Amino acid sequence: MATRKLGDEMGPLLCQRTPDRRMAESSQGVHSEGNVVSDCLDSLASGNDDHAVNLRGLDLSDEAFENVGQELFVAIGDSERIQVLDLGSSHLDKNAGYHLVQAVQRQKTLSVLRLGNNGLNDTLCANIVHAVGENENLKLKELFLGMNEAGITTGG
């Protein structure tokens, strides 16, 4: 699977999805969302030097989140390598948002967090911004919350 960059300065991605929201094909066939998360969790645990996670378009709502999301957010929160996390268009709902806030509270290395186009409400956006502000170890440079229900476009 070829890696794609979020920006030249950001380096290769640990996990990615193709723009059409289907998983990239490998020699074993098309990955399911569960396999993508499993692969991502393996990458986070492996100690590779990669530092970006692009899960744009991964369905993290309701049943899909119950299957893969909580474990993913625990791994993201505990990772000491992630600098860029893109969860745009991932259907983050209240449950996934709660676990995302928990991950942000524990994160130490994240510098870019992109959560656009998720339908996040005022309360969830405020909780994310609060978690970023309260985490003294986190030196976030970019927080994108645009195209959500709250109307907040940036914060940090």
Side-chain angles (χ1 to χ4, degrees), residues 10-61:
M10 294 180 200
L13 302 172
L14 285 171
C15 316
Q16 71 174 4
R17 292 180 55 89
T18 59
D20 66 359
R21 295 188 182 166
R22 289 182 309 128
M23 298 319 308
E25 290 185 13
S26 70
S27 58
Q28 290 83 27
V30 177
H31 293 287
S32 70
E33 290 191 349
N35 287 342
V36 168
V37 173
S38 177
D39 291 346
C40 187
L41 291 169
D42 291 345
S43 294
L44 289 170
S46 71
N48 292 336
D49 293 328
D50 299 332
H51 60 262
V53 176
N54 181 352
L55 295 173
R56 175 173 289 281
L58 180 68
D59 185 3
L60 291 174
S61 63

Side-chain angles (χ1 to χ4, degrees), residues 37-139:
V37 173
S38 177
D39 291 346
C40 187
L41 291 169
D42 291 345
S43 294
L44 289 170
S46 71
N48 292 336
D49 293 328
D50 299 332
H51 60 262
V53 176
N54 181 352
L55 295 173
R56 175 173 289 281
L58 180 68
D59 185 3
L60 291 174
S61 63
D62 301 328
E63 185 178 325
F65 178 81
E66 290 177 20
N67 294 334
V68 298
Q70 186 172 354
E71 186 177 357
L72 174 65
F73 283 125
V74 168
I76 288 169
D78 293 342
S79 174
E80 295 185 4
R81 297 186 1 246
I82 297 175
Q83 293 178 9
V84 178
L85 176 59
D86 187 345
L87 285 168
S89 302
S90 295
H91 310 285
L92 296 173
D93 61 8
K94 184 178 178 181
N95 190 25
Y98 169 80
H99 290 285
L100 173 63
V101 168
Q102 300 298 311
V104 169
Q105 289 173 336
R106 292 190 323 275
Q107 237 313 306
K108 297 177 184 174
T109 59
L110 198 60
S111 63
V112 175
L113 179 57
R114 296 184 180 135
L115 301 171
N117 198 29
N118 274 299
L120 303 177
N121 64 27
D122 289 330
T123 302
L124 192 48
C125 285
N127 288 342
I128 292 166
V129 170
H130 182 76
V132 168
E134 291 293 312
N135 185 342
E136 295 178 4
N137 296 313
L138 190 61
K139 306 299 183 221

